[in-house]
Amino acid sequence: MVTDAPRAAFIAALLLSGAAGAQDSTRRVASVAVPPDAAKHETVVTFFDSSGLIEATFTTNIGKIRGDKGANHPWRPATITYKGDDGDVVTVPLKARTRGIWRLRMCEFPPLRLDFSGKTSKGTIFETLDKPKLVSYCHDMDQYDQYILQEFQLYRIYQLLTPLSHRARLLKLVYADSADGKVRARRYGFLLEEPTALAARLGVKMIDQHGARPGDLDPFQDALFGVFEYFIGNTDFSEAGLHNVELFLNPDGVIMPVAYDFDFSGAVNARYATVDSTLPIPNVRQRLFRGYCTDAASYAKAFAVFQEKKAEIYALYSDSIGKLMDSGKVKETLRYFDDFYETINDRRSAKRSIIGACLGPT
């Protein structure tokens, strides 16, 4: 149960942020309480509260885990080793297994899910993490390091816009092979907050259903979701098909969408990113709004959030993490964001490219 007054007020502000206009246009379901596993994840938040880069060594049988591309991927033994605050080396036993679809097939090193379950991580910085996703490099090239950093920045931007989003923590990993002790790569990666931890943090509940339809969702949160995807130039999602989208239920019984997985976005502009052939755009750099239709007031509120957070968004590209990025990539990204702001600052452009381009009934 949420008992801390400032946190309760913070959550209340989130849940009420889209209330205006939601009374009649949003389908409501039975009210829910704070998830029963909230206490389990209460301390997980502290891991993501820090923005400090974690330098560590990730060791597993890389040959075997690279070969785990079929169904029913096995959990492989692994360790993460890092230096504690006292300078002593800390080794955390865990398990890892492959996940994903496209990157699992195409990447030199696959995306992973880590299992910190049990007592082996107690007393470490990973304590109480359960099974978070590790977003790791695709190919052992500097260009792919930049993709990791750029996607990580998009999670940071999403957090600036709304707490209803996954927190992320950047790592600089040495990837070592337990089979021969050799280092295979030194690359960036990041851990992603688990859906259950997000739910516990905000006092909402993740729901398992086969997608959402126009009118199912909180109007403001859905507008913000759609405008964010347009902002980063992402079309690789589907609310109806629940592709790269999670749904959460607030205590009032209103459904709210959360986006994730942004490497196919125009903001990242990965060399492997492609556009669905059914869409009328030639490449990922060209924006196309694929959010659901909602009321004009909700779009106006979403645009206002982007205007309010613009300076903070741009500042992310000159802070300690932004300085890890290639300077040319930073300039390219900010120019891409400039184009978005030109659109929402022009009433006709905003209506043509976003409000009038929405999916579903108005």
Side-chain angles (χ1 to χ4, degrees):
M1 181 176 293
V2 177
T3 56
D4 180 75
R7 180 166 172 254
F10 169 77
I11 294 170
L14 165 68
L15 299 179
L16 293 174
S17 61
Q23 298 297 323
D24 298 323
S25 61
T26 304
R27 186 185 69 168
R28 294 172 181 270
V29 296
S31 295
V32 296
V34 175
D37 57 352
K40 176 182 176 182
H41 288 280
E42 196 69 27
T43 55
V44 175
V45 177
T46 61
F47 178 83
F48 293 102
D49 273 344
S50 174
S51 60
L53 175 69
I54 298 173
E55 296 192 34
T57 297
F58 175 77
T59 305
T60 192
N61 190 311
I62 291 179
K64 287 185 176 180
I65 212 161
R66 280 177 174 170
D68 293 338
K69 298 182 182 295
N72 301 317
H73 316 145
W75 287 100
R76 302 289 184 184
T79 62
I80 286 184
T81 304
Y82 67 98
K83 280 189 177 182
D85 293 337
D86 57 5
D88 290 343
V89 175
V90 180
T91 299
V92 184
L94 65 143
K95 295 179 181 178
R97 75 175 179 187
T98 57
R99 61 176 181 84
I101 302 174
W102 189 93
R103 279 186 280 194
L104 179 60
R105 296 195 311 267
M106 305 299 295
C107 288
E108 173 186 336
F109 189 84
L112 300 176
R113 186 177 295 278
L114 307 183
D115 184 358
F116 289 98
S117 301
K119 300 178 180 179
T120 56
S121 61
K122 188 173 182 179
T124 75
I125 59 174
F126 303 104
E127 183 174 1
T128 72
L129 286 180
D130 190 14
K131 295 183 177 68
K133 292 178 180 178
L134 172 63
V135 180
S136 49
Y137 73 96
C138 182
H139 294 285
D140 189 15
M141 300 166 58
D142 289 347
Q143 182 179 28
Y144 286 83
D145 247 3
Q146 292 298 311
Y147 298 156
I148 289 289
L149 292 169
Q150 183 69 320
E151 186 176 10
F152 180 72
Q153 292 285 55
L154 300 184
Y155 280 100
R156 296 177 77 201
I157 291 172
Y158 202 15
Q159 266 287 299
L160 284 177
L161 298 170
T162 174
L164 192 70
S165 55
H166 291 280
R167 292 180 172 186
R169 184 84 182 268
L170 188 66
L171 303 95
K172 183 66 177 290
L173 291 175
V174 173
Y175 292 83
D177 196 336
S178 61
D180 56 17
K182 292 183 179 180
V183 171
R184 299 302 182 187
R186 290 179 171 87
R187 294 297 174 190
Y188 290 107
F190 58 87
L191 286 175
L192 204 58
E193 182 182 39
E194 299 160 79
T196 49
L198 185 158
R201 170 166 58 87
L202 298 176
V204 297
K205 180 182 179 181
M206 186 177 181
I207 57 176
D208 183 17
Q209 68 176 55
H210 299 293
R213 302 165 297 179
D216 286 346
L217 304 165
D218 174 87
F220 168 68
Q221 288 295 333
D222 191 36
L224 190 64
F225 167 93
V227 175
F228 172 74
E229 295 280 31
Y230 180 82
F231 168 73
I232 67 173
N234 191 34
T235 60
D236 185 29
F237 71 92
S238 169
E239 292 179 277
L242 212 60
H243 173 59
N244 292 337
V245 181
E246 294 164 347
L247 301 177
F248 293 84
L249 196 67
N250 75 13
D252 293 329
V254 178
I255 303 173
M256 303 179 294
V258 172
Y260 67 93
D261 201 351
F262 309 132
D263 68 311
F264 269 57
S265 68
V268 174
N269 197 25
R271 63 188 298 178
Y272 57 77
T274 57
V275 177
D276 189 304
S277 61
T278 64
L279 298 179
I281 53 176
N283 56 65
V284 296
R285 289 291 281 183
Q286 184 170 332
R287 289 183 171 94
L288 177 69
F289 189 75
R290 299 193 67 234
Y292 281 153
C293 298
T294 188
D295 58 277
S298 294
Y299 285 121
K301 286 179 65 177
F303 294 160
V305 172
F306 275 91
Q307 299 286 15
E308 178 188 351
K309 297 294 184 180
K310 180 179 179 180
E312 292 179 69
I313 290 171
Y314 281 52
L316 294 178
Y317 290 83
S318 58
D319 68 6
S320 59
I321 293 174
K323 289 176 181 177
L324 299 174
M325 297 179 61
D326 175 79
S327 60
K329 185 64 176 178
V330 168
K331 292 177 183 178
E332 175 187 294
T333 302
L334 296 184
R335 286 196 299 267
Y336 191 66
F337 292 166
D338 287 342
D339 291 341
F340 165 83
Y341 278 100
E342 287 182 11
T343 296
I344 66 170
N345 284 326
D346 183 277
R347 183 173 299 180
R348 288 186 178 180
S349 294
K351 184 176 182 179
R352 179 180 65 252
S353 300
I354 299 176
I355 301 172
C358 63
L359 302 178
T362 56

